[in-house]
Amino acid sequence: MAEPLILAIESSCDDTSAAILRGNRVLSNVIAGQAVHEKYGGVVPELASREHQKNIVPTVHTALREANVEAKDLTAIAFTQGPGLMGSLLVGTCFAKGYAQALGIPLVAVNHMEAHIMAHFIEQTPVMPMICLTVSGGHTQIVYVKGPLQFEVLGETLDDAAGEAFDKCSKLIGLPYPGGPHMDRLAKEGDPMRFEFPISQMPGYQFSFSGLKTAVLYFLQKQLKHDPEFIVNNQADLAASIQHTIVQILLIKLRKAVEDKGVKSVSLAGGVSANSHLRDSVMSWKSDAFDVFVPDFQYCTDNAAMIGCVGYYRFLQGQEAKMDVVPMSRLKI
Ligand code: KG4
Ligand code: ZN
C-alpha cells in the first residue's frame, strides 16, 4: 500500500507554514514569514493572528503546487495543536478542521515540541535511544528519546528559554529582532573570552537564563557610565562572549544527560539549533562510537514538515483527532 499523503499546517507563532509529505519524505515545505513584527522588537500576538489569516490559504496552495499534489489525493491533515499563541493556533486549527471536513479525510493533532524533536525522523531514523536538546524561542528541554513518539522530558528551563536569552541579550547590545541569528553572525568577528558572564548552576537537568540577561544589563549599565560608546566599540566581543555563555550553559547539561543515560547519540532541535557555535560544539563530539544529529537549517526553525512527520507517525498509530479538538497554548510533551 502507498504511504499516506499528508498535508501539514504550522501556525503556532509568527510563521505560517504548510508542507506535503509522502510518509516521512518531504515533497514541499513552504514558509511565509511575518516581517510586520520587526519594528516592535518582538512578536505581537494580535498581528501574528491577522497575518496567519492572510497567509494560510496561499501557503497551502503553494505547498500543494510545489509538491505536484491535488487536494483530493490527500490522506490526512496534520496541524499544530500547541503550545503557542492562542490566536495563531486558532487560525491553523480552524483551517485544518474545515479543510479536513470538506475533503472527508482524518485530522491529526500535533504537539509543536514533539515535532521539533521528530524533525530528526524526516527521511531518516536516528540511532536510539538518544538525548535531544530542544532549544527554541519559547522552550528549552532535554529529552530522552526512546523511539519515534516515545519521549521522556529530563529537564527544562525554569524561566527564559535559550532563544529568549539570545533575543533579549541581543536587544541589550543593539541588535535587531530576532537577535539570535544576528548575534551568531556578529560573534564570528569577536572574542568569546573577552567578557565573563555567570554560568547558572541549576540542579539536575534544569536551566535558568534570566540571571544572564540581568547580569548583561548591569554590566552594560556600569560600562556605559564610563564610556557612552562602550556597546558600539565592543559589540562583536559582547556578542561572542554572551553567545559563548549561553552555549556553555546548554552544553554542560547536555553532556551530563548523555553521560548519565549512557546513550550513543545526541541531537539538537528547535530554532536555536541553527546557532553555528552550538552546532559546531556538539558536532565535535561525533566519533565512530557516538553519533550526532543536527537537522537541516530549514527543519530547525518553525516549519510544517516536522508537523507532518509527527502527523505521519500518529496516523500510522490510528491517533486521529475529533472534530471538537481545540488548540492548547500550554500543551506539554
Ligand atoms: O523554534 P523557533 O523557530 O520558534 C519557536 O518555536 O520559538 O525558534 C526561534 C528562536 C528565536 O529566539 C531565534 O532568535 C533563535 O531561535 N535562533 C537563533 C539562531 N537562529 C534562530 N539563535 C541563535 N543563533 C541562531 N543562528
Ligand atoms: Zn518552534
mmCIF file of all heavy atoms in Angstrom, residues 133-135 140-142 155-162 200 202-210 246-254:
data_model
loop_
_atom_site.group_PDB
_atom_site.id
_atom_site.type_symbol
_atom_site.label_atom_id
_atom_site.label_comp_id
_atom_site.label_asym_id
_atom_site.label_seq_id
_atom_site.Cartn_x
_atom_site.Cartn_y
_atom_site.Cartn_z
ATOM 1 N N LEU A 133 18.378 17.884 22.688
ATOM 2 C CA LEU A 133 18.283 19.218 23.305
ATOM 3 C C LEU A 133 17.390 20.060 22.404
ATOM 4 O O LEU A 133 17.757 20.344 21.265
ATOM 5 C CB LEU A 133 19.672 19.851 23.418
ATOM 6 C CG LEU A 133 19.695 21.309 23.889
ATOM 7 C CD1 LEU A 133 19.304 21.425 25.362
ATOM 8 C CD2 LEU A 133 21.079 21.929 23.676
ATOM 9 N N THR A 134 16.204 20.415 22.909
ATOM 10 C CA THR A 134 15.294 21.263 22.131
ATOM 11 C C THR A 134 15.418 22.688 22.632
ATOM 12 O O THR A 134 15.126 22.960 23.799
ATOM 13 C CB THR A 134 13.830 20.801 22.282
ATOM 14 O OG1 THR A 134 13.780 19.395 22.092
ATOM 15 C CG2 THR A 134 12.940 21.460 21.253
ATOM 16 N N VAL A 135 15.869 23.554 21.742
ATOM 17 C CA VAL A 135 16.106 24.951 22.138
ATOM 18 C C VAL A 135 15.434 25.879 21.140
ATOM 19 O O VAL A 135 15.836 25.965 19.985
ATOM 20 C CB VAL A 135 17.628 25.252 22.216
ATOM 21 C CG1 VAL A 135 18.156 25.005 23.601
ATOM 22 C CG2 VAL A 135 18.442 24.446 21.210
ATOM 23 N N THR A 140 13.160 25.311 26.302
ATOM 24 C CA THR A 140 14.494 24.710 26.405
ATOM 25 C C THR A 140 14.299 23.410 27.172
ATOM 26 O O THR A 140 13.907 23.439 28.339
ATOM 27 C CB THR A 140 15.457 25.640 27.180
ATOM 28 O OG1 THR A 140 15.455 26.908 26.530
ATOM 29 C CG2 THR A 140 16.860 25.092 27.219
ATOM 30 N N GLN A 141 14.526 22.287 26.518
ATOM 31 C CA GLN A 141 14.253 20.998 27.153
ATOM 32 C C GLN A 141 15.345 19.994 26.814
ATOM 33 O O GLN A 141 15.857 19.994 25.690
ATOM 34 C CB GLN A 141 12.956 20.396 26.586
ATOM 35 C CG GLN A 141 11.687 20.999 27.124
ATOM 36 C CD GLN A 141 10.450 20.265 26.630
ATOM 37 O OE1 GLN A 141 10.441 19.706 25.527
ATOM 38 N NE2 GLN A 141 9.405 20.269 27.423
ATOM 39 N N ILE A 142 15.642 19.117 27.777
ATOM 40 C CA ILE A 142 16.475 17.952 27.473
ATOM 41 C C ILE A 142 15.547 16.743 27.521
ATOM 42 O O ILE A 142 14.855 16.508 28.524
ATOM 43 C CB ILE A 142 17.626 17.797 28.474
ATOM 44 C CG1 ILE A 142 18.618 18.946 28.261
ATOM 45 C CG2 ILE A 142 18.322 16.450 28.280
ATOM 46 C CD1 ILE A 142 19.947 18.770 28.930
ATOM 47 N N GLY A 155 14.529 17.450 31.781
ATOM 48 C CA GLY A 155 14.638 18.751 32.439
ATOM 49 C C GLY A 155 14.299 19.868 31.479
ATOM 50 O O GLY A 155 14.309 19.669 30.259
ATOM 51 N N GLU A 156 13.980 21.035 32.048
ATOM 52 C CA GLU A 156 13.664 22.183 31.186
ATOM 53 C C GLU A 156 14.022 23.486 31.893
ATOM 54 O O GLU A 156 14.474 23.477 33.023
ATOM 55 C CB GLU A 156 12.214 22.160 30.729
ATOM 56 C CG GLU A 156 11.175 21.972 31.791
ATOM 57 C CD GLU A 156 9.847 21.483 31.199
ATOM 58 O OE1 GLU A 156 9.548 21.790 30.040
ATOM 59 O OE2 GLU A 156 9.113 20.817 31.930
ATOM 60 N N THR A 157 13.767 24.594 31.198
ATOM 61 C CA THR A 157 14.120 25.875 31.810
ATOM 62 C C THR A 157 13.062 26.285 32.831
ATOM 63 O O THR A 157 11.881 25.990 32.666
ATOM 64 C CB THR A 157 14.300 26.987 30.748
ATOM 65 O OG1 THR A 157 14.707 28.193 31.412
ATOM 66 C CG2 THR A 157 13.029 27.253 29.959
ATOM 67 N N LEU A 158 13.535 26.954 33.877
ATOM 68 C CA LEU A 158 12.606 27.415 34.911
ATOM 69 C C LEU A 158 12.136 28.832 34.631
ATOM 70 O O LEU A 158 11.212 29.324 35.258
ATOM 71 C CB LEU A 158 13.285 27.361 36.281
ATOM 72 C CG LEU A 158 13.737 25.975 36.730
ATOM 73 C CD1 LEU A 158 14.355 26.034 38.118
ATOM 74 C CD2 LEU A 158 12.562 24.988 36.730
ATOM 75 N N ASP A 159 12.809 29.508 33.690
ATOM 76 C CA ASP A 159 12.386 30.885 33.367
ATOM 77 C C ASP A 159 12.485 31.120 31.863
ATOM 78 O O ASP A 159 11.695 30.565 31.109
ATOM 79 C CB ASP A 159 13.181 31.916 34.193
ATOM 80 C CG ASP A 159 14.662 31.575 34.298
ATOM 81 O OD1 ASP A 159 15.286 31.406 33.238
ATOM 82 O OD2 ASP A 159 15.192 31.487 35.423
ATOM 83 N N ASP A 160 13.450 31.921 31.417
ATOM 84 C CA ASP A 160 13.553 32.218 29.979
ATOM 85 C C ASP A 160 14.045 31.005 29.193
ATOM 86 O O ASP A 160 14.791 30.177 29.716
ATOM 87 C CB ASP A 160 14.550 33.361 29.751
ATOM 88 C CG ASP A 160 14.028 34.693 30.263
ATOM 89 O OD1 ASP A 160 12.838 34.748 30.646
ATOM 90 O OD2 ASP A 160 14.794 35.666 30.273
ATOM 91 N N ALA A 161 13.651 30.937 27.935
ATOM 92 C CA ALA A 161 14.179 29.904 27.040
ATOM 93 C C ALA A 161 15.514 30.383 26.464
ATOM 94 O O ALA A 161 15.823 31.585 26.509
ATOM 95 C CB ALA A 161 13.184 29.660 25.914
ATOM 96 N N ALA A 162 16.289 29.441 25.903
ATOM 97 C CA ALA A 162 17.604 29.798 25.349
ATOM 98 C C ALA A 162 17.447 30.840 24.229
ATOM 99 O O ALA A 162 18.223 31.803 24.148
ATOM 100 C CB ALA A 162 18.302 28.551 24.826
ATOM 101 N N SER A 200 24.785 29.772 35.076
ATOM 102 C CA SER A 200 23.828 29.407 36.132
ATOM 103 C C SER A 200 24.058 27.961 36.593
ATOM 104 O O SER A 200 24.318 27.083 35.781
ATOM 105 C CB SER A 200 22.394 29.585 35.618
ATOM 106 O OG SER A 200 22.249 28.943 34.367
ATOM 107 N N MET A 202 22.115 25.166 38.113
ATOM 108 C CA MET A 202 20.787 24.659 38.471
ATOM 109 C C MET A 202 20.886 23.163 38.748
ATOM 110 O O MET A 202 21.722 22.473 38.174
ATOM 111 C CB MET A 202 19.795 24.891 37.319
ATOM 112 C CG MET A 202 19.668 26.340 36.901
ATOM 113 S SD MET A 202 19.146 27.390 38.248
ATOM 114 C CE MET A 202 17.486 26.785 38.493
ATOM 115 N N PRO A 203 19.974 22.638 39.611
ATOM 116 C CA PRO A 203 20.041 21.199 39.891
ATOM 117 C C PRO A 203 19.647 20.352 38.679
ATOM 118 O O PRO A 203 18.841 20.790 37.850
ATOM 119 C CB PRO A 203 19.036 21.013 41.033
ATOM 120 C CG PRO A 203 18.170 22.219 41.031
ATOM 121 C CD PRO A 203 18.943 23.330 40.378
ATOM 122 N N GLY A 204 20.190 19.145 38.615
ATOM 123 C CA GLY A 204 19.801 18.163 37.584
ATOM 124 C C GLY A 204 19.940 18.689 36.179
ATOM 125 O O GLY A 204 20.984 19.230 35.802
ATOM 126 N N TYR A 205 18.870 18.544 35.425
ATOM 127 C CA TYR A 205 18.901 18.962 34.015
ATOM 128 C C TYR A 205 18.126 20.258 33.806
ATOM 129 O O TYR A 205 17.669 20.539 32.711
ATOM 130 C CB TYR A 205 18.305 17.857 33.125
ATOM 131 C CG TYR A 205 18.952 16.509 33.321
ATOM 132 C CD1 TYR A 205 18.275 15.491 33.987
ATOM 133 C CD2 TYR A 205 20.238 16.252 32.859
ATOM 134 C CE1 TYR A 205 18.865 14.255 34.188
ATOM 135 C CE2 TYR A 205 20.843 15.025 33.051
ATOM 136 C CZ TYR A 205 20.145 14.035 33.723
ATOM 137 O OH TYR A 205 20.733 12.818 33.917
ATOM 138 N N GLN A 206 17.942 21.002 34.898
ATOM 139 C CA GLN A 206 17.182 22.250 34.768
ATOM 140 C C GLN A 206 18.067 23.394 34.295
ATOM 141 O O GLN A 206 19.273 23.390 34.532
ATOM 142 C CB GLN A 206 16.531 22.600 36.102
ATOM 143 C CG GLN A 206 15.418 21.637 36.460
ATOM 144 C CD GLN A 206 14.846 21.899 37.831
ATOM 145 O OE1 GLN A 206 15.477 22.527 38.674
ATOM 146 N NE2 GLN A 206 13.650 21.407 38.050
ATOM 147 N N PHE A 207 17.430 24.363 33.645
ATOM 148 C CA PHE A 207 18.139 25.528 33.137
ATOM 149 C C PHE A 207 17.545 26.801 33.730
ATOM 150 O O PHE A 207 16.369 26.823 34.106
ATOM 151 C CB PHE A 207 17.974 25.658 31.614
ATOM 152 C CG PHE A 207 18.577 24.541 30.817
ATOM 153 C CD1 PHE A 207 17.793 23.478 30.385
ATOM 154 C CD2 PHE A 207 19.922 24.571 30.465
ATOM 155 C CE1 PHE A 207 18.340 22.459 29.632
ATOM 156 C CE2 PHE A 207 20.473 23.554 29.715
ATOM 157 C CZ PHE A 207 19.681 22.491 29.288
ATOM 158 N N SER A 208 18.359 27.864 33.745
ATOM 159 C CA SER A 208 17.838 29.193 34.065
ATOM 160 C C SER A 208 18.638 30.199 33.250
ATOM 161 O O SER A 208 19.871 30.141 33.229
ATOM 162 C CB SER A 208 17.992 29.483 35.556
ATOM 163 O OG SER A 208 17.717 30.852 35.781
ATOM 164 N N PHE A 209 17.946 31.096 32.571
ATOM 165 C CA PHE A 209 18.634 32.087 31.743
ATOM 166 C C PHE A 209 18.342 33.527 32.155
ATOM 167 O O PHE A 209 18.928 34.450 31.605
ATOM 168 C CB PHE A 209 18.260 31.903 30.262
ATOM 169 C CG PHE A 209 18.892 30.696 29.634
ATOM 170 C CD1 PHE A 209 18.176 29.527 29.453
ATOM 171 C CD2 PHE A 209 20.226 30.731 29.232
ATOM 172 C CE1 PHE A 209 18.763 28.409 28.885
ATOM 173 C CE2 PHE A 209 20.830 29.624 28.660
ATOM 174 C CZ PHE A 209 20.091 28.451 28.480
ATOM 175 N N SER A 210 17.388 33.715 33.087
ATOM 176 C CA SER A 210 17.009 35.100 33.387
ATOM 177 C C SER A 210 18.149 35.853 34.082
ATOM 178 O O SER A 210 18.305 37.059 33.917
ATOM 179 C CB SER A 210 15.723 35.141 34.204
ATOM 180 O OG SER A 210 15.924 34.503 35.425
ATOM 181 N N ILE A 246 25.831 31.354 26.817
ATOM 182 C CA ILE A 246 24.572 30.616 26.600
ATOM 183 C C ILE A 246 24.888 29.184 26.140
ATOM 184 O O ILE A 246 24.322 28.209 26.653
ATOM 185 C CB ILE A 246 23.673 31.327 25.558
ATOM 186 C CG1 ILE A 246 23.247 32.710 26.072
ATOM 187 C CG2 ILE A 246 22.445 30.477 25.224
ATOM 188 C CD1 ILE A 246 22.496 33.575 25.060
ATOM 189 N N VAL A 247 25.822 29.059 25.204
ATOM 190 C CA VAL A 247 26.148 27.726 24.666
ATOM 191 C C VAL A 247 26.780 26.854 25.758
ATOM 192 O O VAL A 247 26.461 25.663 25.854
ATOM 193 C CB VAL A 247 27.031 27.850 23.397
ATOM 194 C CG1 VAL A 247 27.571 26.496 22.961
ATOM 195 C CG2 VAL A 247 26.237 28.501 22.260
ATOM 196 N N GLN A 248 27.638 27.440 26.616
ATOM 197 C CA GLN A 248 28.240 26.653 27.703
ATOM 198 C C GLN A 248 27.160 26.118 28.647
ATOM 199 O O GLN A 248 27.206 24.967 29.061
ATOM 200 C CB GLN A 248 29.243 27.502 28.517
ATOM 201 C CG GLN A 248 30.565 27.737 27.815
ATOM 202 C CD GLN A 248 31.126 26.481 27.173
ATOM 203 O OE1 GLN A 248 31.373 25.477 27.832
ATOM 204 N NE2 GLN A 248 31.294 26.490 25.859
ATOM 205 N N ILE A 249 26.193 26.979 28.994
ATOM 206 C CA ILE A 249 25.109 26.557 29.903
ATOM 207 C C ILE A 249 24.395 25.340 29.298
ATOM 208 O O ILE A 249 24.115 24.354 29.985
ATOM 209 C CB ILE A 249 24.112 27.724 30.154
ATOM 210 C CG1 ILE A 249 24.801 28.854 30.930
ATOM 211 C CG2 ILE A 249 22.863 27.240 30.884
ATOM 212 C CD1 ILE A 249 23.980 30.142 31.068
ATOM 213 N N LEU A 250 24.151 25.397 27.993
ATOM 214 C CA LEU A 250 23.450 24.288 27.316
ATOM 215 C C LEU A 250 24.320 23.031 27.264
ATOM 216 O O LEU A 250 23.854 21.920 27.548
ATOM 217 C CB LEU A 250 23.058 24.709 25.889
ATOM 218 C CG LEU A 250 22.024 25.828 25.775
ATOM 219 C CD1 LEU A 250 21.894 26.301 24.335
ATOM 220 C CD2 LEU A 250 20.658 25.369 26.312
ATOM 221 N N LEU A 251 25.604 23.212 26.914
ATOM 222 C CA LEU A 251 26.481 22.048 26.711
ATOM 223 C C LEU A 251 26.744 21.278 28.004
ATOM 224 O O LEU A 251 26.817 20.045 27.987
ATOM 225 C CB LEU A 251 27.810 22.495 26.094
ATOM 226 C CG LEU A 251 27.752 22.986 24.645
ATOM 227 C CD1 LEU A 251 29.138 23.426 24.184
ATOM 228 C CD2 LEU A 251 27.202 21.912 23.706
ATOM 229 N N ILE A 252 26.864 22.001 29.127
ATOM 230 C CA ILE A 252 27.158 21.334 30.413
ATOM 231 C C ILE A 252 26.047 20.333 30.741
ATOM 232 O O ILE A 252 26.291 19.170 31.070
ATOM 233 C CB ILE A 252 27.324 22.384 31.544
ATOM 234 C CG1 ILE A 252 28.623 23.167 31.327
ATOM 235 C CG2 ILE A 252 27.312 21.725 32.914
ATOM 236 C CD1 ILE A 252 28.763 24.421 32.190
ATOM 237 N N LYS A 253 24.788 20.772 30.585
ATOM 238 C CA LYS A 253 23.651 19.899 30.913
ATOM 239 C C LYS A 253 23.493 18.778 29.885
ATOM 240 O O LYS A 253 23.131 17.650 30.217
ATOM 241 C CB LYS A 253 22.354 20.717 30.984
ATOM 242 C CG LYS A 253 22.357 21.770 32.055
ATOM 243 C CD LYS A 253 22.284 21.161 33.445
ATOM 244 C CE LYS A 253 22.526 22.198 34.508
ATOM 245 N NZ LYS A 253 21.792 21.983 35.717
ATOM 246 N N LEU A 254 23.742 19.125 28.635
ATOM 247 C CA LEU A 254 23.592 18.125 27.571
ATOM 248 C C LEU A 254 24.597 16.992 27.772
ATOM 249 O O LEU A 254 24.258 15.809 27.681
ATOM 250 C CB LEU A 254 23.791 18.809 26.206
ATOM 251 C CG LEU A 254 23.472 17.975 24.979
ATOM 252 C CD1 LEU A 254 22.037 17.480 24.997
ATOM 253 C CD2 LEU A 254 23.717 18.783 23.695
#
